[in-house]
Amino acid sequence: MLPSTLLLVDSNCLRSSELRDFLKASFENAIVIDHLVLFEIFKKNPLVTSRASLAIAADFIDQTYVIKPTHRWLDEVITSARDLERLIDSEATKDLRELCQGLFQDPPTDGITSRVEARQAEAVNYVDRLSEEMGEYETALLERAKEFSASQLAEIRTGNVVTDETREKINALLYEITGHFVLSYQEPNRTKPLSIATARNMFAFRYALCVVLFYIEWVQLGRGSKKLTKRLNDIVDLQIAAVSTFFSGVASSDARTRTVAKGATHMLAKWGAFIRLTDKP
């Protein structure tokens, strides 16, 4: 049985004193780490960075879990707290706990050094592949987001009164992205329709929701183009925000990640989808 409070934590927040206080407060408080966060930790100067980023996790090793890579649970439908156990990678959790215990030996053993170097190679390879794949939908999304009028963007941002017309536009874009994601990555040969009630408890829908919320805000704020590395960070942040909607929230130092995650969770709650809210550090 998993602890009652499970926060998804990004790489920067892993170092925060608030996180230490959160874990120290109760054994029922725990953190989950996404594989993308681990890639961020190990992609550059891995021995130094991992020591700094995993010091708190090492002190609360039994309260630290790793989530399976998303491609391994795309078909999961999460409707309860118990279902979350299927998203935890037991082998990766064990491996990270062992690594944390060995990282702080001085000097680190050859075995720990080789494991860290292997993780760095894996992280660099993944980031390279992500760079190739990320441009598929960005241009189209930016153009579609421009279809929202200034008043509709204001409705979305405030959330006070959202008209039926604005809601229909959002839904149309959301369903289009969800369908594209499912056919591209989840079920390429799918021909049967996927019910909205089911989709809302799957990763594809929640990722699409976070993407829509992010790009609508992007257009509203009049932001221009960004360097590839910065856009890559956005893609990582959006996935972290989407995954966090299945857990007790996200602990992140990035304001946009928190905003998108909060907005997505609020909308999912209004739709009656599974969410698991709690206070966070």
Side-chain angles (χ1 to χ4, degrees):
M1 181 70 69
L2 295 172
S4 58
T5 303
L6 283 167
L7 283 180
L8 186 69
V9 184
D10 74 5
S11 56
N12 292 320
C13 203
L14 276 170
R15 306 183 183 193
S16 72
S17 58
E18 289 85 357
L19 184 65
R20 179 178 293 278
D21 293 340
F22 166 74
L23 293 170
K24 189 176 180 180
S26 172
F27 288 118
E28 282 301 310
N29 292 345
I31 58 173
V32 287
I33 304 176
D34 188 87
H35 71 291
L36 286 176
V37 172
L38 293 177
F39 285 150
E40 287 187 307
I41 291 172
F42 290 106
K43 70 182 179 182
K44 188 176 182 179
N45 298 323
L47 197 56
V48 174
T49 304
S50 60
R51 279 180 164 178
S53 296
L54 296 173
I56 294 175
D59 287 343
F60 298 91
I61 199 66
D62 292 330
Q63 293 163 258
T64 300
Y65 298 83
V66 178
I67 305 172
K68 293 176 182 176
T70 46
H71 69 267
R72 289 174 49 193
W73 55 275
L74 289 179
D75 58 347
E76 292 284 0
V77 181
I78 307 300
T79 60
S80 69
R82 183 173 291 276
D83 289 345
L84 291 176
E85 294 182 19
R86 301 202 298 268
L87 306 188
I88 301 299
D89 191 325
S90 58
E91 288 301 316
T93 297
K94 178 182 177 182
D95 182 68
L96 183 65
R97 290 178 177 181
E98 290 177 352
L99 183 61
C100 282
Q101 291 173 334
L103 274 174
F104 298 95
Q105 297 178 22
D106 195 20
T109 65
D110 291 341
I112 290 297
T113 300
S114 63
R115 287 170 71 173
V116 167
E117 290 173 348
R119 283 176 172 267
Q120 181 183 24
E122 182 183 9
V124 170
N125 179 60
Y126 184 89
V127 170
D128 288 345
R129 286 190 286 114
L130 187 60
S131 301
E132 296 173 0
E133 297 171 359
M134 66 172 292
E136 292 182 6
Y137 58 82
E138 187 173 73
T139 301
L141 272 174
L142 288 171
E143 290 303 314
R144 290 295 302 273
K146 291 177 183 177
E147 296 176 8
F148 290 86
S149 67
S151 61
Q152 288 174 326
L153 290 171
E155 291 173 23
I156 294 166
R157 186 154 183 84
T158 62
N160 294 331
V161 179
V162 180
T163 64
D164 290 341
E165 181 183 358
T166 302
R167 188 175 292 107
E168 288 175 5
K169 269 190 176 181
I170 294 172
N171 286 341
L173 182 55
L174 174 58
Y175 300 154
E176 179 181 325
I177 297 171
T178 303
H180 172 76
F181 189 97
V182 169
L183 293 176
S184 297
Y185 303 105
Q186 185 174 325
E187 294 184 71
N189 299 316
R190 185 181 181 89
T191 57
K192 296 188 298 182
L194 180 64
S195 76
I196 297 302
T198 298
R200 285 172 179 160
N201 289 317
M202 302 177 77
F203 173 78
F205 184 93
R206 297 186 182 209
Y207 180 71
L209 176 58
C210 289
V211 168
V212 169
L213 292 175
F214 173 82
Y215 278 97
I216 287 174
E217 181 189 34
W218 186 261
V219 172
Q220 182 191 16
L221 297 178
R223 299 227 168 100
S225 60
K226 299 172 70 176
K227 293 181 179 179
L228 177 62
T229 53
K230 292 295 184 182
R231 297 207 315 274
L232 274 171
N233 289 340
D234 290 338
I235 298 301
V236 171
D237 291 344
L238 289 174
Q239 179 160 324
I240 290 171
V243 174
S244 76
T245 63
F246 290 102
F247 293 93
S248 304
V250 61
S252 173
S253 59
D254 185 83
R256 186 178 297 115
T257 301
R258 296 196 307 269
T259 298
V260 170
K262 182 178 179 180
T265 302
H266 175 71
M267 295 182 73
L268 289 164
K270 290 182 68 174
W271 289 330
F274 168 75
I275 60 169
R276 191 184 187 197
L277 286 177
T278 189
D279 293 333
K280 58 180 182 292

